[in-house]
Amino acid sequence: MPESKIATIRPAVAATAADHPSEVAGRKRLLYAGDLDGEIAARLVALARATAPSGWSLTIACRPKAEGDAEARAGLQRDLAGDLASGRVELLAEVADMDALYRRSALQLFAATHTRKKVDLPLALLEGLARGVPAAIVDVSPAAELLHVGHDAGLRAGLAAPAEPDAFARAIAEVVHGDTVASWSEHAAALAAREFSLTQMAGRYDALYSDLESKRRK
């Protein structure tokens, strides 16, 4: 289809107050909220091990609905038994208050290479950005497009990480320090306000309908 016939309307999340970048950077907690399968679990295990020396914690919050969830969850409980026992890693299921998880996290993760049964840009990522929580995303479309949108707007709201588990873990472990996360946090909130607000979404729908109506009358 010609590019001229494609209209991009990005999803929106409700406006909310973002936490101060220095507060976000001081938390030293990673958050993965999404589906769980064996491939994702391998990345999370590698990440938990890679960030252990730096004292970072990891919260894994996955609704037990995805194919392979039970097996992957059992694998995490086995491979990260010591970390789970110490509390450095949390393994959650249904979460009643996602806002509370965002508000104690410094960096959110998208550790999947797919968005099956979801919108192209997972709303959980956008809700985190709005609160000033930057994102580390496996460098695969469509989720990684969020970072490209930020780049086009002059905003770096996180990093694109390799899919291979150890490389994924190293990429994140190398950058989780205060100055980087604080900068990303500021950009994350700005990106959400600029590109994923109700105002921008409504404006793009209005422009599309106006364009279609104009063409219909010709």
Side-chain angles (χ1 to χ4, degrees), residues 4 7 23 34 39 43 51-52 62 88 115 156 176 181-182 213-214:
S4 61
E23 179 184 343
E39 179 184 288
R43 295 188 186 102
T51 54
C62 303
R88 194 180 74 83
T115 55
R156 186 175 184 188
V176 285
V181 173
E213 178 64 14
S214 175

Side-chain angles (χ1 to χ4, degrees), residues 26-50:
R27 292 171 182 161
K28 290 196 172 184
R29 178 171 292 274
L30 304 167
L31 169 65
Y32 174 65
D35 288 344
L36 185 60
D37 58 28
E39 179 184 288
I40 295 166
R43 295 188 186 102
L44 296 176
V45 168
L47 180 61
R49 291 171 176 167

Side-chain angles (χ1 to χ4, degrees), residues 12-14 16-17 98-99 102-103 108 122-133 146 192 196:
V13 290
T16 187
M98 276 301 300
D99 183 69
Y102 293 128
R103 300 291 184 181
Q108 56 178 331
L123 296 179
L125 287 177
L126 305 184
E127 290 170 349
L129 292 182
R131 290 159 174 78
V133 183
L146 185 154
F196 301 103

Side-chain angles (χ1 to χ4, degrees), residues 152-172:
D152 292 343
L155 299 168
R156 186 175 184 188
L159 79 154
E164 194 277 324
D166 288 335
F168 173 81
R170 284 195 302 272
I172 296 171

